[in-house]
Every structure is written in C-alpha cells, then in structure tokens.
Amino acid sequence: MSIVETNASAEPAGFITHAKRVLLANPVSLAALVYLVALLAMSIISIFASPYDPLATDLGAVYQPPSVQHWFGTDQVGRDVFSRVIAAARLDLLIAVSSVFLSFVVGTFVGSSAAFYGGVYDKAVGRVTDVLMTFPLFVIAMALVAALGNSVESIILASGVVNLPFFIRLSRAEVSRLRSLSFVEAARAGGNSERDILIKFMIPNAIPTITVQVSTGLGWAILNAASLSFIGLGIRPPTPEWGIMVAEGAAAVLAGNWWLVLFPGAALTLTVLSFNLLGDSLRDILDVRFRR
Amino acid sequence: MKHMMRKNLLDVADLTVSFSVSSGRVVGARDISLNIRQGETLGIVGESGSGKSVTAYAIMGLLARNGRIDAGKVQFDGRDILNDRQALRQIRGREVAFIFQNPRAALNPVRTVGDQIADVLAISRNPPKSRAETRKHVVELLDAVRIVRPEERSRAFAHELSGGMCQRVMIAMALAAEPRLLIADEPTTGLDVTTQKVIMDMLRDLAASRGLATILITHDLGLAAEYCERLTVMSKGTIVEQGATADVLYRPAAPYTERLVAATPRIDKKLIELLPQDDRTPFAASGPASKVAITQNETDPIPCLTVRSLEKSFGRGVPWWSRLFSSLSRQSGTPKKEDDGLIHAVRGVSFELQKGDAIGIVGESGSGKTTTSRMIARLLDQSAGDIRYFGEDIGSQSIQAFVSSPLRRRIQVVFQDPLGSLNPRFTAYDSIKNQLQSCARHADPAQLSVHDAHSQIIEAARLAGLAPDLLKRFPHQLSGGQQARVGIARALVVRPELLILDEPTSALDVSVQALVLNQLAELRRHLNLTIVFVSHDLNVVRLVCDRVIVMRHGEGVESGNTSDIFDHPKHAYTRELLEANPHLPASVTS
C-alpha cells in the first residue's frame, strides 16, 4: 500500500514532544509512570521528612488499624507501616535498578558482541546461557546469596546474574538481525572498524528492544529481592523491606491484622505491574524511528 | 464505437478516503471518480504516495484499520458495494480478484500452492464436486498460467518457486474464482524485465480470452503505456488526468502528467531532458563528457581500475564422497548450485576503466552485478582474480585490512536501498560526519582531515543537493530522494575518486530519479569522478554511462560503448533485455 502524503514539511518531533505523544496515547503506561515517579519521590523525600521514624518502636500503639494518625496502621512493635512502606521503596528500587543495570550492561555487551563476531565465542556464550537457564533461577539466587553473605551487595549481584541470560539472549537475537542490514556494509565502506560498527551501529540500534527487558527485569528484580528476604536471606529485620514486612505480617493476618500484609504487598504488586506496563511505551519513546 | 456499447462494470464516484495518524487525519484519496467497462484494461498510474493503491483497496473494503471512507459511491455491476457489506463479501474474491505486489509474501508459506488454489475453487461460483475434479482444475489453471510440469508444481511450497512463478500462481489463484474484474497492484515490481514481459503478456492474453476487465496499478509509465487502453493519472491523492492511453501520453492536459512523461527515461532522450524545462541549470545543460576527463584519458597511461578474471563463489564445497552420492541420487537440486556444491555468482569478469569514465554493469537479479561491485568496493573478498587501482593491487588486500587503508577514502559506494543503508539512529549530519571521521583516521592528512569538519559536511550536503536544515533529521524523517542524497553526500564528504553506485535510484520515483541522476552527472563532471554504475535498468544506464557490460549468470556476455550496445546489440541476451524493457514509444506522433 502506498504511503499517504503527510505533512512532510513540518518539523519532526523532538524527544520531549515525542515522549509526550506516546504517553498520552497510552494512558495505562502514563499511569504506571506517574505511580513510579510518585513512589520514587516519596521515598526520597522520606529521608528528610517522614511522618514517623520507620525504625522507631512505640509499644503503646501496637497493632493499630489504619487511621488518620497511622495511614497504614502500625505493626507488632508499634512502628508506622506507611513510613516503613515508603522507606522500603528506597531500598527495593535501589536493589532493582543496580542489579538490572548490571545485567543490562554486561548482558548487552556480551550478547551483542557474540552475535556480531560469531564463531567459537558466540557458540560458547550461547551454550553457557542455555546451561544457566536450565537451573531454577531463584535457586541460583539463593545459593549465591548464601555463599556471598547476607548483604545488599550480594542480593544485587545475585539478581543481576539471574537476569543476565535474558539480556544476553535478547541482544544476541537483535544484533543477529541488525548485522545483516545494509547500513552495516555502508559503515564498512565508510571506513568504520568492526569495533566501531559494534559500538556505534549495533548496540544503539538494539537498545530500544532491550529496554522492554529492562522494564520487566526491574519488576523481576524487586520480586526477587523481596522473595529472598521473605525466606530470610539477604536483608534482615528491622530494615524496612517489602518482602520482610510481608513475612513478618503473615502470622498477624490470622489475628485479623490484615494491614500488615496488604500495604507492603500492594506496593510490591503495583510496582512490579507498573514496570511491566511501562516497557512497551519505553521502547516507543526511545526508538527514534517512531518519531514523526 | 465498440467501447460505447460495453456497460460499466465498476463505477466509483467522488470517493474520499482518510487515515488517522498520530498527528491527526490525513486524506489518502480525494474525490476519486473512475469507471471500468467489461473486458477493458485501465491503468492507474502515479508515484509513491499518489493514492493509487489506497483507491483500489478502498473500493474493495481492504483499507488498513486506521483508514476510513468519508464519502463517495462504489457500484459493481449496478450493486452498491460500499455500504452493503453483504454484497461486498459476495463480490470480493469471486467477482473481483486481487493480485498483489510481492507474490511470495501473499502466498501462505506452510501450504502447497495447489491447496491454496483449491481453496479459491471451493468458494467459486461452481465449486468442484470431488477431490479428483479439484485436482484436475488446479492443474488446468497452473497450465493456463504456463507453469511447466503443473502436476508436480502444484505440490510445491512458495519458497520452492521463483518470484516469477509465485506471481503466476497468484494469477492462477485470481483466475480460479472466474472473476469479472482483476485488480493488479504492481504485479511485476521486483521481477526482472524479461519475467515481467512474460507475466504481463500472459495477463493480457488471459484477460482478453476470458473477457476480464483489469485494473493495473503501477508506477511505471512505460508498462502502463504498453498494456492499458485507458489511463488514470494520480498525484497526491487526487486524479489529475484520465483518458485514452495515447491521448494522456502524447497530449497531456495536466502539467503533472507532462512532468511525469518527461521524467520517464526513453530511448531518444538525453539525461537533462528528464527534468522540467525550468529546472535545468546551466551547469547540467553543458555537454555530456567533460574536456578534463578526455584529456586525462590520453595522458594517463595507467587505468584507474583494472579488473582481471574476477570470480566469486559461495558455499562450502562438497567433499568427493557426497558428490558421489548426489550424482547417484535424484537430480533435483536448485539450478544455481553446481556439481562442486558451490554457487558461482561471478565467473571471470574483466574490464578496464580510465579516470573520469563511467561504466555500467547491467543484468537481471542473480547475474552477479552487485557481487562484482562489492568486490571492487572491497566489501567482499573475491575467490579469484585481480583488481588494481591505479596499478596498486587492491584485490590482494582483505576486506578487513582495506578498512584501514588510505585507499578506503578514494573508493566509495552509494548503496541500493537509501533508507536501509543509513544507520536509523544517526541523523543525516551524524551519518556524514561518521564517514568523514572514520576515513580521516587512515587517510593522508594532506588530503583529508577532520579539521573544519562542519563546513566540509555542509559542503558535501550542498554538492549532493541536500538543504542544510534537513541534516538534523533522522533517516525515516526524510523522503526517499532526500535519503538517497544523504547516501551520496556521505560518499562525497571524503572526496572519493572512484564512486561505485549500486542501483542508486531503483527505490525512487521517476521524477526524483531524474533529479538524482542529473545531480550525479553534474558531480561527475565537476569532481572528475570515475564511476561504476550497477543497474537493472537499461534506460538509466544508457543515460549515465559511456561504456556498458551486460552480465548474465555471473558472466559478462557483452561489453562495449553504450551507443554500440544499445543500437547494435550483438548478443541474443542483450537483445532480449532491450526488447523486454517497457518503454514509452520513442516518437511523439499525434
């Protein structure tokens, strides 16, 4: 079908206009973005100004249901659940972003270069990835944290390693597709070395697709960190963390203290959901080809 | 008159179609009125974006999801098919059949072509009663579209057939329902000219013998002139002119038609004549070959480019034991593969090129013309043979080594697909800059440096005819012609001496092609470039080149001066190519 004559003389949209257009066309993504930005803002503000100290106990006010004083109620030692949920966001987002950043950087580079150079290196990377994916990923994460010790760093590393195969596979597939396109040959004719082609031509073109994986990966990483602390690995109480809060509150639910599980659980669910919903729009925003 | 007696089969009145896009609604076709009588062939001609396909798709209710018919009336054989979905469903595929561009994509890859034809038979007006009857019918249809061994081919899948054969299967499918109207949307685009001629002749004969009306949608004025009784010329979504073919072509009433006819390359035309009268710059209007080039030819003893028995074969080669087995087993491999298991893309091409000359390499798909050009450009290692550039053996340098050779700058390439050959994430400016920086790294600093890069980039863009304010755009934000100019500017920025042009205009509309070709001819004179021009289009090669090599199956079948080859072709294949090439009749006699 022939292409309809559009307003060819009009200036093409810049990044901001384009991002606005994509988000307005996808209200769900917009809502997800608003939620995540709000959560991040609140967790940062809470460093300086929080309704209550998330660690301060108040034995005179244990197990209080949600009220005007305590929006999300209080827990078994009288800590304010709202303050704790907000403070936990800081830690969980930090873990998620660092671990995904780690697997994104390493995975994209390893996957892209494997596909681009091919040969034995590519085969080795492919097989190692396959082997890594045959294990239950959570078990690998558990083993790593157990071996490295209970610290935020080891959780970040463990989540990063678990996410790595997905990034390697995706970037490998994307670069295999890209490297047969005619602009690669044009780049060679233009005197670009193979390394230049990989860094300036292949990876930047693969990134919009990989972004989708970044977004879902963030969701997984948060879930992973929460799951690890739920089973008692990694972060230890009394540090506010969604997984621990759910674990600690689980027993109290039977006594009717539902707010101890509902609020951190809801924050966790909404955050993971938001990252997943944002993915597609993020790709559309980052891919210059969608700009009109 | 006979024409008057026939009644209208299809009547379209004031049809307006619009599409919703992110920036609002755009009109795809406006106030389209046309009709076609029984047994008639109507050509809808226009450049890309003219709305010719949109019109045809809208008539048959096949618009994309964001499309909408805003106004108008469509009647088929007196029945309203625009508002009556029931009537449309009955007519589509039965009374009206479609033939699409890119036949391979239009066929279902996981079913045999025979089964797909049988599907159409099953919904036809007289479906066959039994399986045996269906089979018989399918074979008859394949025979009618002149497929050899129809029985065997009916069990083939789309990927096992050539492009031309897939299009024949599509035609057989279209005919299976015994329609009264056939709509062919660019049916031969992407096929070789010789195949195109066979398909179009067959389509014409079948339509005539079955009394079929045909709408041929095409960008190729020559093709429409040869096969259509009436023409409808479209531009920017509206009809600019309709009438009998000869009237439209020889006495065009609309200025647009006039420009389109003028821009179509023709046997008796010079390059400059493709442009509208008022666009002919004095520079471009000067004589064909520059004096500088000619004098240099005489003084330069070493040719710019020498190519000796260049060969390229692909594939891994078959060890002797499996060669033994394959010779014992059934002989049904792909025709291209030889006994040694290799595909010989180029076998022994030789030529010499003096500085300032332009040579054309012409051939159909699979002739090895692009492979040859890629080897010369050092983008592909040859299997055998010698390439010398001013006496320096560049053939012995591997493609990896050549990237960092100072000669990389001097031999540049303009690629076939203007959009695909640009990095989607580079703006036009970045694309040109990247080339300058990469080449300058290895070039002689006296000849090329990144000093004052900005003005060098602007100058290259100016030479290629690209306005400076377009440089900040990404490739997809540019038109096809502008993309092609970025490709040219990118090659020019490093000040090359030998320019290899691989079908630089095949993706462009004729009016844009006329501009780009003239620009290239001007640059060649201005910068004294030596040119290797690869093309399937004989008309274009004739306009641009001094000498021509005609290639077929990897071999040069004929070479010589352009005028000799075109006026007195010696080889039968050259003659066949020249005859198959659709062209506007040379003389304008009214």
Side-chain angles (χ1 to χ4, degrees):
Chain A
M1 211 166 112
S2 62
I3 290 151
V4 177
E5 187 72 22
T6 48
N7 224 354
S9 58
E11 273 299 293
F15 178 75
I16 305 281
T17 327
H18 172 67
K20 238 186 253 170
R21 231 184 248 165
V22 171
L23 286 172
L24 288 178
N26 299 283
V28 178
S29 301
L30 184 64
L33 185 69
V34 168
Y35 169 79
L36 290 172
V37 169
L39 186 70
L40 190 67
M42 277 199 290
S43 68
I44 289 169
I45 291 167
S46 73
I47 302 173
F48 312 105
S50 179
Y52 295 88
D53 182 347
L55 296 176
T57 55
D58 179 1
L59 293 174
V62 295
Y63 291 131
Q64 284 193 1
S67 66
V68 182
Q69 282 86 37
H70 300 282
W71 293 353
F72 290 177
T74 60
D75 66 6
Q76 66 278 11
V77 285
R79 292 175 299 202
D80 180 49
V81 176
F82 178 72
S83 304
R84 286 179 65 77
V85 167
I86 296 301
R90 210 159 56 219
L91 183 62
D92 279 308
L93 288 177
L94 175 79
I95 292 174
V97 170
S98 328
S99 73
V100 169
F101 180 76
L102 192 75
S103 40
F104 168 68
V105 171
V106 176
T108 301
F109 190 76
V110 169
S112 303
S113 54
F116 187 67
Y117 292 113
V120 181
Y121 172 48
D122 183 34
K123 285 209 173 75
V125 167
R127 289 302 89 78
V128 170
T129 317
D130 288 346
V131 168
L132 209 54
M133 287 179 96
T134 55
F135 291 106
L137 294 176
F138 189 66
V139 175
I140 298 184
M142 268 166 58
L144 278 171
V145 175
L148 295 170
N150 280 337
S151 68
V152 174
E153 292 80 21
S154 52
I155 292 199
I156 290 175
L157 194 67
S159 300
V161 169
V162 164
N163 258 324
L164 203 55
F166 298 99
F167 283 95
I168 293 179
R169 280 204 164 182
L170 193 64
S171 53
R172 190 161 164 260
E174 194 61 10
V175 170
S176 321
R177 181 183 71 82
L178 288 167
R179 71 173 193 158
S180 60
L181 297 182
S182 109
F183 71 84
V184 180
E185 186 151 74
R188 248 173 229 136
N192 286 282
S193 66
E194 294 299 292
R195 205 198 53 184
D196 282 352
I197 295 174
L198 176 65
I199 289 167
K200 292 186 194 160
F201 291 75
M202 297 286 92
I203 293 178
N205 275 297
I207 279 180
T209 308
I210 303 174
T211 324
V212 181
Q213 186 63 41
V214 166
S215 200
T216 43
L218 282 169
W220 275 112
I222 285 193
L223 217 49
N224 216 13
S227 311
L228 284 172
S229 27
F230 182 86
I231 60 166
L233 279 169
I235 296 150
R236 311 309 303 265
T239 316
E241 200 283 331
W242 292 333
I244 303 173
M245 292 171 72
V246 174
E248 286 185 341
V253 171
L254 298 174
N257 304 324
W258 49 269
W259 57 91
L260 291 182
V261 172
L262 179 75
F263 292 110
L268 182 63
T269 312
L270 276 177
T271 308
V272 174
L273 185 67
S274 296
F275 277 126
N276 288 343
L277 292 175
L278 200 57
D280 275 341
S281 295
L282 215 52
R283 185 203 53 203
D284 294 357
I285 289 169
L286 289 180
D287 197 334
V288 290
R289 279 172 302 174
F290 286 89
R291 285 194 215 166
R292 292 285 163 215
Chain B
M1 265 178 69
K2 198 174 108 217
H3 279 213
M4 294 296 142
M5 304 297 287
R6 293 187 273 182
K7 67 172 182 161
N8 281 350
L9 190 61
L10 181 74
D11 252 312
V12 180
D14 305 319
L15 188 71
T16 298
V17 182
S18 67
F19 293 88
S20 72
V21 294
S22 61
S23 49
R25 284 200 87 77
V26 288
V27 173
R30 190 191 300 279
D31 298 332
I32 303 296
S33 298
L34 49 85
N35 56 64
I36 182 160
R37 302 184 199 90
Q38 261 166 29
E40 189 186 32
T41 306
L42 171 73
I44 303 184
V45 193
E47 300 189 298
S48 58
S50 64
K52 53 190 193 299
S53 296
V54 170
T55 303
Y57 285 55
I59 291 170
M60 284 303 124
L62 292 173
L63 282 177
R65 204 183 285 178
N66 63 341
R68 188 178 71 195
I69 293 170
D70 295 328
K73 239 168 51 179
V74 180
Q75 286 191 317
F76 184 83
D77 204 14
R79 286 172 81 184
D80 175 19
I81 56 167
L82 197 57
N83 303 310
D84 187 351
R85 307 299 295 180
Q86 188 71 32
L88 179 65
R89 252 200 305 278
Q90 279 167 13
I91 284 164
R92 200 163 58 192
R94 294 182 182 87
E95 304 270 352
V96 183
F98 254 96
I99 299 174
F100 296 95
Q101 190 178 346
N102 194 355
R104 212 184 288 273
L107 288 169
N108 184 343
V110 298
R111 303 193 62 208
T112 64
V113 294
D115 284 351
Q116 293 183 61
I117 297 172
D119 290 347
V120 182
L121 283 172
I123 62 155
S124 69
R125 269 166 294 179
N126 330 300
K129 312 254 173 339
S130 63
R131 282 181 64 111
E133 199 183 328
T134 308
R135 281 235 67 83
K136 191 170 139 267
H137 229 88
V138 167
V139 173
E140 275 170 15
L141 279 163
L142 288 174
D143 195 44
V145 292
R146 280 177 236 156
I147 283 186
V148 260
R149 290 179 284 150
E151 184 77 57
E152 186 187 322
R153 292 278 159 68
S154 71
R155 286 188 292 271
F157 293 94
H159 70 268
E160 296 172 325
L161 303 173
S162 69
M165 265 203 275
C166 283
Q167 195 56 287
R168 286 170 209 230
V169 170
M170 283 302 295
I171 295 172
M173 271 172 81
L175 295 177
E178 294 176 22
R180 284 193 285 167
L181 173 64
L182 194 62
I183 300 179
D185 185 12
E186 306 268 10
T188 54
T189 306
L191 301 180
D192 287 326
V193 279
T194 48
T195 317
Q196 166 170 288
K197 186 170 166 56
V198 174
I199 297 263
M200 286 309 298
D201 286 351
M202 189 187 71
L203 206 55
R204 182 187 54 199
D205 298 345
L206 284 171
S209 67
R210 292 169 190 232
L212 219 66
T214 312
I215 296 180
L216 174 69
I217 299 166
T218 181
H219 67 281
D220 188 339
L221 215 51
L223 193 71
E226 235 164 89
Y227 293 98
C228 300
E229 294 162 41
R230 280 197 303 135
L231 288 185
T232 297
V233 183
M234 288 189 70
S235 166
K236 292 180 182 158
T238 55
I239 291 178
V240 293
E241 188 162 0
Q242 353 198 15
T245 302
D247 291 343
V248 171
L249 292 181
Y250 300 138
R251 291 175 290 279
Y256 176 78
T257 317
E258 211 171 327
R259 273 208 306 281
L260 197 62
V261 173
T264 305
R266 211 152 73 182
I267 288 172
D268 58 339
K269 257 200 235 164
K270 291 202 194 72
L271 187 52
I272 184 68
E273 288 170 350
L274 300 184
L275 295 177
Q277 211 86 45
D278 41 343
D279 278 6
R280 296 177 190 174
T281 58
F283 199 146
S286 62
S290 83
K291 291 278 178 281
V292 190
I294 290 164
T295 48
Q296 284 214 344
N297 284 353
E298 288 159 357
T299 54
D300 242 339
I302 312 168
C304 170
L305 185 70
T306 316
V307 175
R308 282 277 157 268
S309 23
L310 198 59
E311 278 179 37
K312 180 71 193 176
S313 40
F314 293 101
R316 206 173 274 212
V318 175
W320 62 270
W321 58 87
S322 61
R323 225 181 296 174
L324 186 70
F325 273 117
S326 66
S327 64
L328 295 174
S329 64
R330 192 165 58 97
Q331 294 285 322
S332 68
T334 51
K336 273 187 197 163
K337 258 190 189 165
E338 313 259 312
D339 288 347
D340 53 4
L342 298 172
I343 296 165
H344 296 275
V346 176
R347 27 183 138 199
V349 170
S350 306
F351 63 89
E352 262 183 21
L353 193 58
Q354 298 295 337
K355 187 164 171 53
D357 269 6
I359 195 164
I361 304 180
V362 191
E364 298 190 299
S365 57
S367 63
K369 57 186 191 304
T370 296
T371 310
T372 305
S373 77
R374 288 177 66 207
M375 287 190 282
I376 298 169
R378 299 318 296 152
L379 293 170
L380 186 69
D381 284 321
Q382 76 274 34
S383 305
D386 213 24
I387 308 168
R388 283 175 190 277
Y389 183 74
F390 285 115
E392 188 170 342
D393 185 5
I394 60 169
S396 62
Q397 301 187 24
S398 74
I399 59 167
Q400 283 88 0
F402 197 76
V403 168
S404 50
S405 157
L407 287 174
R408 177 72 281 169
R409 169 188 80 80
R410 296 162 67 184
I411 303 173
Q412 280 296 309
V413 190
V414 175
F415 289 88
Q416 180 164 16
D417 173 8
L419 179 60
S421 62
L422 296 171
N423 184 348
R425 289 183 80 82
F426 276 179
T427 59
Y429 188 89
D430 290 338
S431 278
I432 303 171
K433 189 173 162 195
N434 171 270
Q435 192 105 344
L436 179 63
Q437 286 176 336
S438 309
C439 283
R441 213 174 294 155
H442 307 292
D444 180 356
Q447 287 172 326
L448 188 75
S449 73
V450 289
H451 177 71
D452 214 3
H454 181 73
S455 59
Q456 287 189 58
I457 293 165
I458 300 291
E459 171 63 10
R462 192 190 63 78
L463 281 174
L466 197 66
D469 59 317
L470 293 175
L471 287 175
K472 61 172 181 287
R473 296 203 180 183
F474 289 102
H476 72 275
Q477 293 166 336
L478 298 165
S479 70
Q482 290 164 347
Q483 288 159 2
R485 285 164 198 276
V486 176
I488 295 168
R490 175 172 67 174
L492 290 180
V493 77
V494 296
R495 284 179 250 131
E497 294 152 3
L498 174 64
L499 197 58
I500 295 163
L501 301 154
D502 183 8
E503 306 251 19
T505 59
S506 67
L508 304 178
D509 284 326
V510 280
S511 59
V512 182
Q513 168 175 289
L515 290 168
V516 171
L517 287 178
N518 271 288
Q519 190 97 38
L520 283 170
E522 188 183 321
L523 285 169
R524 183 187 154 201
R525 276 190 295 269
H526 188 56
L527 305 172
N528 194 22
L529 292 169
T530 311
I531 283 179
V532 176
F533 192 101
V534 177
S535 181
H536 70 283
D537 192 335
L538 294 159
N539 283 330
V540 170
V541 169
R542 192 183 53 77
L543 290 168
V544 179
C545 302
D546 312 313
R547 289 198 298 135
V548 180
I549 298 181
V550 181
M551 285 188 70
R552 184 190 200 186
H553 300 330
E555 280 168 280
V557 294
E558 188 168 1
S559 68
N561 286 330
T562 308
S563 53
D564 293 343
I565 298 265
F566 280 83
D567 298 340
H568 314 287
K570 290 192 185 68
H571 197 279
Y573 178 66
T574 315
R575 279 198 292 276
E576 191 188 334
L577 268 184
L578 282 168
E579 273 162 33
N581 206 27
H583 44 215
L584 294 172
S587 57
V588 180
T589 45
S590 40

